[in-house]
Amino acid sequence: MEVPQVDGLQVGKLIGSGGSGRVYQARDVAGVAVALKVFDENAICGALLKKMTERLAVGGWPEGVMPLISSHFGERRSYRVMPLVADADAEAQPRPRSLQMSLDGHPGDDTWKLVGSLARALASMHRRRVPHGNLKPGNVFFSDDGDVLLSDWATGNIPGARQFHFTDALLYQPPEQLRQPAGYVDEAGYP
């Protein structure tokens, strides 16, 4: 797959991939390292991604949710530009600062603090009527200060996606999403 072109970004190497797209390391015009997630249009519902992203932005970005630098949801290409939340390994390769990469530390002294942070981040999303829909250890990141940042909302096994790649996302889905996936769009479960 060729490296995508995005105005204002110098896109570098592929640093991750999943069922809904690929993540590239990039630099903005100021030389700041960022992450570019380019979505597989068949594996997402662009209209849903756009709607949920707009809801998150109302009233200021919610605490505990991965901030977006920019995003685009179009017919041919959808993407998100986010801070690069990673540390460099011994070979200077980015190593995601995610729960997936630190599972060996749990349960541990900070596990209840982590659970509380996850609950607050999800609550801030739910107050804006945005269910995550793809919450798993690989989508829970930690800021430079150690704060939780949830990523990849409105992706995974959701209505409107023309193709679903089996990933570990199914193992983490709430029962109501598995029983009635259209509820994600119809907002079932919200008062």
Side-chain angles (χ1 to χ4, degrees), residues 15 84-90 92-98 100-104 141:
I15 57 173
L84 180 62
V85 184
D87 296 314
D89 67 13
Q93 299 293 322
R95 183 180 186 271
R97 210 173 316 122
S98 70
Q100 182 71 39
M101 300 303 274
S102 62
L103 280 174
D104 58 342
F141 288 84

Side-chain angles (χ1 to χ4, degrees), residues 137-149:
N139 290 337
V140 177
F141 288 84
F142 302 102
S143 71
D144 292 340
D145 298 328
D147 298 328
V148 163
L149 296 171

Side-chain angles (χ1 to χ4, degrees), residues 116-136:
S117 296
L118 283 168
R120 283 187 296 280
L122 285 169
S124 71
M125 292 180 73
H126 291 178
R127 278 190 294 277
R128 294 165 193 235
R129 300 176 62 85
V130 176
H132 191 285
N134 194 19
L135 187 62
K136 59 184 183 177

